Amino acid sequence: MRTHCLLFIISCILGCSAEFYVIDDRVGLGREFDGIGGLSGGGATSRLLVNYEEPYRSQILDFLFKPNFGASLHILKVEIGGDAQTTDGTEPSHMHSKDEANFFRGYEWWLMKEAKKRNPNIKLIGLPWAFPGWVGEGTQWPYFFPNVTADYVVTWIYGAKQHHNLDIDYIGIWNERKYDPVYIKVLRDTLDSVGYTNVGIIAADGDWSIAAAMLENPYLNDAVEVIGVHYPGTKTVEEALLTEKKLWSSEDYSTFNDDIGAGCWARILNQNYVNGRMTSTISWNLIASYYENLSFGGDGLMTAEEPWSGHYLVESPIWMTAHTTQFTQPGWFYLQTVGNLAHGGSYVALTDRQGNLTIVIETMTHNHSQCIRPPLPQFDVSPQKATFQLKGSFAHLTDLQMWYSKLDFETKKDTLFQRSSPVKVYNGSFTLRLDVDEVYTITTVNTGQRGSYPEPPKSRPFPKNYSDDFTVDNPPFSEAPYFADQTGVFEYFRNSTDNGSHAFTLRQVVTERPVTWARDADQTISIIGDYSWADLDVSCAVLIETPITGGVFLAARVDQGGESVREAKGVFYWIYANGTYKVTNDIGGQRVLAEGLSGTREGVWYTLTLSVVSFVASPLKGYAFGIGQGQNNKQNISLTVPKSLIRLSNHENAQQVSQHQERKAPC
């Protein structure tokens, strides 16, 4: 014993200061790895992606889903649209009413098919944020009639399979809202009764509280396959571990996709398992493909918010993802020999139980890896030397592939997902000198690739002159390009009773207030254009369908969207079926600038034109254009114009503010 101590002291004096970490499968395996994913929805976060032209749209999809290319995601989670605002917009329901179903609305079906096209093994998850009003039968609670809600959700799963040949692997309950044990059991029974026994239930997509309830309620415990939690800060609770269920961070990250966001993502991908034994982490959101000035602009693994230019950005979180996803697959197992590094950072090791080994190491510092939530306790990370001793099935390995990233906050010259020289293993061990803010993948897998395409087109703003007449016989998507619904749902509509200039329209179709998730406005609205515009002309033809109480507005400089849409300010020009008009400064119609008689009524087409010009040096800015409904949303409106339905033009030197109407000028 004394001889061994003396040798150790001598070796340290000679400069050996490496910490030792054992990688060994002889002590058994840890939990099964379930994959890394991204979330489209919650809401409308992929809205602009569908409007990219080829080849750029396919290139973006490759960076997200193509194996051994970019993020190479294992899981795609999507919102089951509920006709209501769910963060950055509304996504349409497959059943606006109980008497109809349409499985071609929105773009989530398309996105799931594109993901499957690239990776047939990708897992698919659906989760509701909001529900059409009929599901709650006049309430704001979807659990009063659990059979109705379960049938509605199962119909979505049916539509995915019957109309798109998509097998949904998991289904959720109600995003970040209180769960109901009775509903979960009814949903499980409903799934089983129609043959969807392989569709697992994730609950409750909020906090950990359902775990304790599952321990007390065997029926609830049997119904739930995965405990999904949001933004856990890499920590779990004892009750969740005692259930012996799969534990997932079913929504995480939600951080701007700069290098700090990349540091956040790299840290939690490892530490969600090391600290919390969570076997899947899903990023909100998948891709920042919505107008940047909406809620959480730029949160996504990459950015694609300019379909009119074709410009997109492959951000550093894509390559942090690749360090794990390109060298593991769902069905691999974590080893029990995982943990935190002695001088900060963490390491995980996974195996396919067929001889392959992947080790992922991260050394993210506190200030360079903070996620948007929860608050990150202080910790220290410093440069260190680490020796990894391979034992058990891995003792025979002699060399390993290495991929390396460095987020360099001093020089701003990052190294992202670079293939390095193979690591030589001597007597079962290898040593690495680890600096701060680095990620290493050490692996037997040799198929990794840093995919690339030629540079996409340069960024350019929304065109200053834009028009759309909606004349599309078979639109590929239900939404018109670039329109981003914020309350209500605007869809292409073919008016079969009109053979003239108003045959093709955009129609607002939500006629009953949904079971909401966010604070939707009382008036429906869709936005389009450039947030930086202050002076502009907008022209739109409108038809009010509801007598007396019906109405419509045209707006400019709309300064709010997303979850804050209810507080939107701007210039709102309203006409009503009762023959009046008004101009207000707010979407609620309370701050009246002008009002009077217009002679307008339902069933007649009017062309509204709104010109807004600045009188001050620093004008209020906002989204270029909004269209929406008037006094309440229990109505439909249609929009069209003989030649160009929507005309947007930005002008810098106009000298007046005016509102015009085709039939009778209100001002």
Side-chain angles (χ1 to χ4, degrees):
M1 179 64 70
R2 290 181 180 177
T3 302
H4 289 305
C5 290
L6 180 61
L7 288 173
F8 178 74
I9 292 171
I10 291 172
S11 67
C12 289
I13 292 173
L14 292 175
C16 177
S17 58
E19 302 286 348
F20 283 83
Y21 306 94
V22 174
I23 304 296
D24 192 354
D25 60 353
R26 293 178 302 176
V27 295
L29 299 176
R31 289 179 170 241
E32 183 177 354
F33 175 64
D34 293 309
I36 307 302
L39 201 168
S40 173
T45 53
S46 305
R47 173 63 195 91
L48 298 176
L49 175 59
V50 298
N51 299 135
Y52 270 80
E53 294 183 358
E54 296 294 351
Y56 310 116
R57 190 169 72 176
S58 288
Q59 292 173 5
I60 294 165
L61 293 165
D62 285 350
F63 279 114
L64 293 170
F65 301 118
K66 186 177 179 180
N68 301 314
F69 191 84
S72 305
L73 292 170
H74 304 133
I75 296 170
L76 173 59
K77 181 177 179 179
V78 304
E79 176 178 351
I80 300 175
D83 293 340
Q85 170 65 241
T86 55
T87 299
D88 288 292
T90 65
E91 297 200 28
S93 169
H94 59 289
M95 295 179 71
H96 292 318
S97 70
K98 67 177 69 176
D99 300 320
E100 62 89 50
N102 184 327
F103 302 102
F104 296 91
R105 294 190 183 111
Y107 41 83
E108 302 295 7
W109 314 103
W110 165 83
L111 185 61
M112 288 188 284
K113 287 188 288 188
E114 291 294 325
K116 277 283 188 182
K117 185 188 302 182
R118 287 159 175 81
N119 177 8
N121 296 319
I122 197 167
K123 300 295 184 183
L124 300 177
I125 304 172
L127 173 66
W129 268 249
F131 300 85
W134 66 268
V135 172
E137 298 200 15
T139 74
Q140 283 291 300
W141 192 246
Y143 300 146
F144 276 129
F145 307 96
N147 288 301
V148 171
T149 306
D151 287 342
Y152 167 77
V153 170
V154 171
T155 298
W156 183 84
I157 299 173
Y158 168 87
K161 181 61 176 179
Q162 294 301 312
H163 295 277
H164 302 284
N165 197 29
L166 294 168
D167 292 306
I168 303 301
D169 297 285
Y170 296 95
I171 201 74
I173 308 304
W174 189 14
N175 183 73
E176 295 177 353
R177 294 295 181 262
K178 187 176 180 179
Y179 65 89
D180 182 86
V182 172
Y183 170 69
I184 294 174
K185 185 64 169 61
V186 169
L187 178 60
R188 181 70 269 163
D189 290 343
T190 305
L191 288 165
D192 292 345
S193 68
V194 294
Y196 295 136
T197 56
N198 292 329
V199 178
I201 293 178
I202 303 174
D205 279 300
D207 60 23
W208 290 109
S209 60
I210 196 171
M214 289 168 62
L215 292 175
E216 297 175 357
N217 185 337
Y219 296 102
L220 179 62
N221 189 71
D222 288 345
V224 175
E225 182 173 331
V226 178
I227 298 178
V229 66
H230 290 189
Y231 309 99
T234 76
K235 301 296 195 298
T236 189
V237 296
E238 183 65 23
E239 292 87 349
L241 294 170
L242 289 174
T243 65
E244 299 184 351
K245 295 288 185 175
K246 293 176 178 289
L247 310 180
W248 289 9
S249 180
S250 53
E251 182 178 320
D252 217 325
Y253 175 64
S254 186
T255 302
F256 191 73
N257 55 24
D258 57 8
D259 279 0
I260 290 179
C264 153
W265 186 233
R267 177 175 55 79
I268 64 177
L269 285 180
N270 263 24
Q271 295 189 24
N272 274 346
Y273 186 78
V274 170
N275 301 331
R277 293 302 185 261
M278 286 167 273
T279 55
S280 177
T281 299
I282 299 174
S283 166
W284 188 89
N285 52 65
L286 171 73
I287 182 169
S289 196
Y290 45 98
Y291 288 111
E292 184 177 1
N293 291 88
L294 290 169
S295 305
F296 303 98
D299 285 19
L301 298 179
M302 62 181 291
T303 300
E305 59 190 15
E306 291 186 17
W308 48 85
S309 72
H311 179 71
Y312 65 86
L313 293 169
V314 182
E315 312 280 10
S316 47
I318 287 286
W319 304 116
M320 298 301 104
T321 315
H323 272 283
T324 297
T325 55
Q326 289 202 22
F327 309 102
T328 61
Q329 290 297 322
W332 285 44
F333 280 80
Y334 286 98
L335 300 185
Q336 291 196 38
T337 48
V338 302
N340 293 299
L341 299 171
H343 300 287
S346 65
Y347 68 99
V348 294
L350 302 97
T351 181
D352 64 353
R353 298 188 296 179
Q354 296 178 8
N356 281 311
L357 171 69
T358 291
I359 304 168
V360 185
I361 305 160
E362 60 82 22
T363 59
M364 295 299 144
T365 55
H366 178 275
N367 291 347
H368 295 157
S369 68
Q370 296 186 58
C371 305
I372 193 171
R373 65 179 78 87
L376 183 61
Q378 184 60 46
F379 61 86
D380 295 319
V381 181
S382 57
Q384 55 196 296
K385 189 189 296 185
T387 296
F388 291 86
Q389 183 71 49
L390 307 183
K391 294 187 176 182
S393 299
F394 316 115
H396 69 284
L397 296 174
T398 58
D399 59 89
L400 296 163
Q401 304 297 314
M402 183 167 80
W403 290 79
Y404 169 73
S405 291
K406 168 74 172 181
L407 300 174
D408 198 322
F409 290 87
E410 292 185 6
T411 68
K412 307 299 182 184
K413 295 180 180 179
D414 295 343
T415 300
L416 294 174
F417 199 60
Q418 179 183 83
R419 188 168 196 161
S420 302
S421 299
V423 173
K424 297 298 181 181
V425 182
Y426 298 99
N427 297 322
S429 68
F430 63 91
T431 299
L432 299 174
R433 293 183 179 272
L434 308 176
D435 200 355
V436 298
D437 298 322
E438 293 182 332
V439 182
Y440 293 81
T441 299
I442 313 297
T443 181
T444 58
V445 178
N446 60 13
T447 54
Q449 181 183 358
R450 193 183 194 281
S452 65
Y453 283 112
E455 284 292 316
K458 292 187 179 301
S459 173
R460 68 173 187 268
F462 193 94
K464 289 186 175 182
N465 292 282
Y466 178 76
S467 66
D468 192 346
D469 62 7
F470 305 149
T471 305
V472 184
D473 279 315
N474 295 295
F477 299 102
S478 57
E479 305 100 325
Y482 313 150
F483 279 89
D485 301 343
Q486 300 301 306
T487 298
V489 173
F490 292 77
E491 297 179 352
Y492 280 111
F493 176 66
R494 178 68 166 88
N495 185 2
S496 58
T497 64
D498 190 325
N499 295 320
S501 59
H502 302 297
F504 294 90
T505 70
L506 194 66
R507 191 186 198 200
Q508 201 293 118
V509 296
V510 176
T511 59
E512 180 182 6
R513 188 170 184 82
V515 178
T516 59
W517 186 82
R519 297 185 70 242
D520 292 46
D522 292 326
Q523 304 76 19
T524 64
I525 182 171
S526 187
I527 59 172
I528 187 173
D530 190 328
Y531 187 85
S532 67
W533 285 358
D535 302 340
L536 65 152
D537 297 324
V538 185
S539 181
C540 179
V542 299
L543 174 76
I544 303 170
E545 296 188 60
T546 304
I548 310 300
T549 60
V552 62
F553 65 78
L554 193 61
R557 295 190 191 170
V558 182
D559 71 338
Q560 300 278 357
E563 296 169 282
S564 302
V565 67
R566 195 178 184 87
E567 285 76 44
K569 302 295 187 296
V571 181
F572 293 81
Y573 172 31
W574 313 67
I575 62 169
Y576 298 103
N578 65 6
T580 64
Y581 83 91
K582 66 180 176 181
V583 180
T584 72
N585 190 220
D586 65 320
I587 195 173
Q590 302 302 306
R591 300 174 63 177
V592 179
L593 305 176
E595 59 185 340
L597 298 176
S598 62
T600 52
R601 57 188 175 86
E602 80 282 357
V604 178
W605 284 98
Y606 300 97
T607 297
L608 304 184
T609 300
L610 177 61
S611 297
V612 180
V613 185
S614 304
F615 287 105
V616 293
S618 300
L620 172 71
K621 296 180 179 180
Y623 296 99
F625 172 48
I627 55 175
Q629 290 179 194
Q631 296 174 4
N632 60 59
N633 60 1
K634 294 182 178 179
Q635 57 195 312
N636 295 110
I637 62 169
S638 292
L639 313 162
T640 190
V641 114
K643 293 184 179 178
S644 60
L645 173 63
I646 302 303
R647 293 194 299 274
L648 292 170
S649 62
N650 176 235
H651 56 87
E652 299 176 356
N653 300 310
Q655 300 297 316
Q656 61 183 352
V657 179
S658 64
Q659 301 84 27
H660 303 287
Q661 177 196 325
E662 185 179 59
R663 294 291 178 97
K664 186 178 291 185
C667 297

